[in-house]
Amino acid sequence: MLDWLTSQKTDHPMHSVEEAERLLTGLSDEPLKALEEISSWLTTLTQAAGFPLANRLAVMRVVDEAGQPFEPDLTRLYLTQRALTEFERLQLWQAMLHYWQRVEQAYRLCLDEMQRDPKLLRAHDGDLPLLIVRVIRALAGQARVLHLRYMPVGEPLWQALYDMYQVSGKAGCDDRRVIGYPGDTMPTTARQEVLRAALLEIARPDSMLPQQTDIAARVAARYADACLFDQKPKAACNWAFDLALPRPPELATGVTTLQPTARFFGSGAVTVKIREVIRRLAADSHVKEQRFGEEYTSQEKLVVLERLARYWGEQPPYRHEKRRAAAADIGVIPGFANAWRQIPRVQYRDWGELVIGLDLKLRERLGIIADPAAMTVAEKWLQRDASNWGLSAAVARTSEPAVRIGTLCALKFDDKPWWVGVVRRLFRDDDEHGLAGIEVLAKKPATVLLRRVGHGGMSVQNYSSASDASGNDYVNVLLLGASMAERKRHELLAPRGECIAGIVYEAMIGDSRQHFRFEELLEQGEDFDRVRFTRISGHAKDKAAG
């Protein structure tokens, strides 16, 4: 047994600020090892007996502040290093989560000691606002890290967050401004820290890429102070949470009975600030936005900001259809290229003549000839629920690392025709098994071969010659038949980067020539473009080409 864990007068190696600072000079230069060492020190400081409160708190602050620069480094590695194995990524993620857990536990120990002794509480009255802010930030940090891996933010974490805010309210410091950490450019409050966590939650991280969640968390931290906040419903406060109920914020319209522990907030002023940044970035694509992470491009930030303007607005998106429980094995083939190879091709009258005119390599690239043994085999995913145009399913373990928000999937139910859908949400159950929420894009998709025939003034004849020479103007697409949008517009899926508005294609369909003109890029997924197109007559086609 180590003496410093049990003695009344601590023998902990970091028994003073000076010793803590000296020992911290020996931290590893590697961010992962350094943060693990910091977490270990915080653990032993929390366990050690014989520490006077003032001394323990001072030492914990020094250790915590030494660890702060390493956590963003690990986040950056986790999000940007594609060469990492899944095991290495999990190591980084666990180190970040453990760090925030140790920070929370360390400061809560000091806070509990203060609350048990009125004399200590009075003596440390000046420390209380900062102490509470750091506990709440540590809890919010845990929530953010959990979201990066699509893990659930459980009831105990939400209750701890709300309990700590209530402590600040009782102490009269919920709105007292402090500098949370050295290096912070703006002061914060306990209320502001709670709102940071709330804003990230209502942005729906389960339907964002991890990098986008990181950007959203930075935006929330920047603008949380602009939120309206009240104990009673207000017109501009469209979100609410109850400090006595361990669950995330919900739309205020869902609050049926007003409780004294209810709190209401609105982010209308936040969206005004966000839309100003959007306006500036949209006006000049070369503008560099330094905030919200230097490692991200302005375009990446713009995508997230536009999303936040919707989700933090007065009428945020919501699911229109209720899901019903369902249990079935689904055959799933992820990836656009794999999908069009599997989904049946539309018949074309002159197919034999067309095939003869293409060389062997081009026929292989277009999937006209293929080795059946090389075809992707469908995985079995277990369906959990369903609606008319959506479902959720447990992802096959082997595919979990590769499935992302925006992954296109071909879907097969027993002997029914193939469907095509896209992953919109990712989340994990209590066993850390990955689940995907999938939007069904079409229930009767069809693979169609297209050939570019005109754009930007080049004649149809010249474009055809270029196509015959290179083969680069042939492309397989998926027509979205029996889709939710088919009564409003024609849609198809093309390889990512293929959509250029105005290009005209000849479609290899049926007995007569058909031509499609790409009109608008509706969505860009991981490896596909979702395109609105128009079927045009021969006269309109020649006009567009000429």
Side-chain angles (χ1 to χ4, degrees):
M1 179 70 71
L2 297 175
D3 291 341
W4 49 267
L5 288 177
T6 57
S7 62
Q8 291 303 306
K9 184 176 181 181
T10 188
D11 289 327
H12 191 284
M14 289 187 173
H15 55 78
S16 67
V17 169
E18 292 75 21
E19 277 302 299
E21 291 173 340
R22 184 184 68 80
L23 289 168
L24 289 170
T25 60
L27 285 175
S28 172
D29 293 331
E30 186 180 334
L32 174 58
K33 290 183 178 178
L35 198 64
E36 288 175 336
E37 291 170 17
I38 290 291
S39 296
S40 178
W41 282 121
L42 289 170
T43 299
T44 60
L45 285 166
T46 304
Q47 294 172 343
F51 255 118
L53 175 60
N55 196 24
R56 191 197 301 267
L57 179 56
V59 171
M60 284 178 169
R61 286 178 61 172
V62 169
V63 176
D64 172 27
E65 289 167 10
Q68 285 290 314
F70 296 112
E71 197 273 349
D73 288 344
L74 262 63
T75 300
R76 195 156 37 248
L77 288 170
Y78 179 81
L79 295 175
T80 61
Q81 294 299 313
R82 292 185 176 272
L84 293 174
T85 65
E86 186 62 18
F87 175 75
E88 290 170 329
R89 284 169 53 80
L90 184 59
Q91 272 189 310
L92 293 171
W93 181 83
Q94 288 175 334
M96 291 186 286
L97 184 62
H98 290 165
Y99 168 68
W100 286 120
Q101 289 171 338
R102 301 303 175 261
V103 171
E104 176 210 346
Q105 292 163 3
Y107 288 130
R108 283 178 74 101
L109 176 68
C110 297
L111 186 61
D112 290 345
E113 191 173 347
M114 287 182 196
Q115 291 181 306
R116 288 195 302 268
D117 188 335
K119 290 183 180 180
L120 285 176
L121 190 58
R122 287 194 297 271
H124 290 276
D125 180 66
D127 296 320
L128 196 59
L130 178 61
L131 192 57
I132 293 172
V133 159
R134 289 195 177 183
V135 173
I136 296 176
R137 185 171 297 188
L139 289 162
Q142 293 172 52
R144 176 180 58 82
V145 173
L146 288 168
H147 283 310
L148 293 180
R149 195 170 166 78
Y150 302 108
M151 293 291 291
V153 178
E155 291 185 354
L157 199 154
W158 284 112
Q159 194 59 67
L161 193 74
Y162 297 154
D163 288 347
M164 194 52 54
Y165 180 69
Q166 290 193 84
V167 170
S168 72
K170 291 176 182 176
C173 62
D174 57 317
D175 211 21
R176 191 181 302 178
R177 297 165 72 83
V178 296
I179 297 294
Y181 282 95
D184 283 5
T185 57
M186 301 171 63
T188 186
T189 67
R191 178 182 299 171
Q192 191 171 323
E193 295 296 318
V194 171
L195 288 170
R196 284 173 63 164
L199 285 173
L200 180 59
E201 188 68 27
I202 66 175
R204 294 299 302 273
D206 60 349
S207 59
M208 288 192 284
L209 294 169
Q211 294 85 349
Q212 295 173 329
T213 295
D214 185 45
I215 296 172
R218 296 170 188 244
V219 177
R222 178 80 182 188
Y223 295 131
D225 65 330
C227 286
L228 293 177
F229 190 87
D230 207 289
Q231 295 186 25
K232 296 180 180 180
K234 279 189 174 181
C237 292
N238 56 331
W239 291 94
F241 55 85
D242 193 321
L243 298 173
L245 299 177
R247 60 193 188 201
E250 61 180 358
L251 285 169
T253 52
V255 178
T256 55
T257 305
L258 184 60
Q259 300 292 338
T261 48
R263 298 294 183 271
F264 299 83
F265 69 96
S267 47
V270 176
T271 59
V272 171
K273 293 176 181 288
I274 288 174
R275 291 189 189 281
E276 176 55 31
V277 180
I278 291 172
R279 185 199 61 76
R280 184 164 54 84
L281 292 177
D284 186 350
S285 60
H286 300 291
V287 168
K288 289 187 177 181
E289 174 55 65
Q290 299 296 330
R291 296 169 296 178
F292 319 132
E294 294 182 0
E295 62 269 39
Y296 300 114
T297 66
S298 293
Q299 181 59 36
E300 288 171 325
K301 295 173 186 176
L302 180 60
V303 169
V304 177
L305 289 167
E306 289 174 339
R307 174 192 175 90
L308 296 180
R310 297 194 306 274
Y311 277 79
W312 293 350
E314 292 184 5
Q315 296 182 321
Y318 64 96
R319 181 184 291 168
H320 293 275
E321 295 182 326
K322 288 185 178 181
R323 293 280 177 90
R324 59 185 181 277
D329 285 336
I330 311 173
V332 179
I333 297 181
F336 173 75
N338 292 330
W340 66 252
R341 283 184 170 87
Q342 190 68 55
I343 291 170
R345 189 182 293 275
V346 171
Q347 295 297 316
Y348 176 52
R349 178 192 60 188
D350 298 326
W351 188 254
E353 182 181 341
L354 171 69
V355 171
I356 292 173
L358 302 177
D359 64 36
L360 180 62
K361 287 186 177 180
L362 182 56
R363 279 184 276 172
E364 290 177 346
R365 178 173 69 81
L366 296 176
I368 294 170
I369 57 174
D371 180 2
M375 295 287 285
T376 302
V377 178
E379 303 170 339
K380 291 297 183 184
W381 292 14
L382 179 61
Q383 184 181 6
R384 297 290 184 89
D385 61 34
S387 63
N388 289 336
W389 296 100
L391 61 93
S392 71
V395 180
R397 289 282 191 184
T398 53
S399 289
E400 280 187 23
V403 173
R404 309 171 67 209
I405 301 296
T407 295
L408 192 79
C409 298
L411 309 168
K412 192 76 162 68
F413 292 85
D414 298 325
D415 57 350
K416 295 180 181 178
W418 283 93
W419 293 3
V420 65
V422 62
V423 174
R424 297 300 190 195
R425 295 175 58 230
L426 286 171
F427 49 105
R428 293 180 186 270
D429 59 22
D430 293 336
D431 296 324
E432 295 196 25
H433 194 163
L435 296 102
I438 300 173
E439 178 189 3
V440 177
L441 297 182
K443 296 182 179 180
K444 292 183 180 179
T447 300
V448 175
L449 184 64
L450 301 184
R451 180 171 63 92
R452 291 195 203 111
V453 295
H455 182 264
M458 182 180 286
S459 69
V460 174
Q461 292 78 11
N462 288 341
Y463 232 104
S464 298
S465 299
S467 172
D468 291 340
S470 68
N472 290 331
D473 294 318
Y474 285 99
V475 60
N476 282 304
V477 301
L478 288 171
L479 284 188
L480 300 184
S483 70
M484 187 164 55
E486 67 179 346
R487 293 183 180 180
K488 300 178 182 178
R489 56 180 180 255
H490 297 305
E491 292 185 11
L492 59 78
L493 302 178
R496 182 182 170 98
E498 183 69 25
C499 179
I500 300 175
I503 287 186
V504 177
Y505 291 84
E506 180 182 358
M508 313 303 175
I509 298 177
D511 295 332
S512 60
R513 287 193 172 193
Q514 296 189 39
H515 292 86
F516 298 168
R517 182 173 60 226
F518 285 9
E519 304 289 3
E520 178 186 5
L521 178 63
L522 300 173
E523 174 189 359
Q524 191 162 65
E526 188 178 31
D527 58 358
F528 69 89
D529 288 348
R530 184 159 65 99
V531 181
R532 179 175 67 84
F533 72 95
T534 302
R535 298 176 187 266
I536 59 176
S537 64
H539 174 74
K541 176 255 305 182
D542 292 339
K543 185 177 180 181

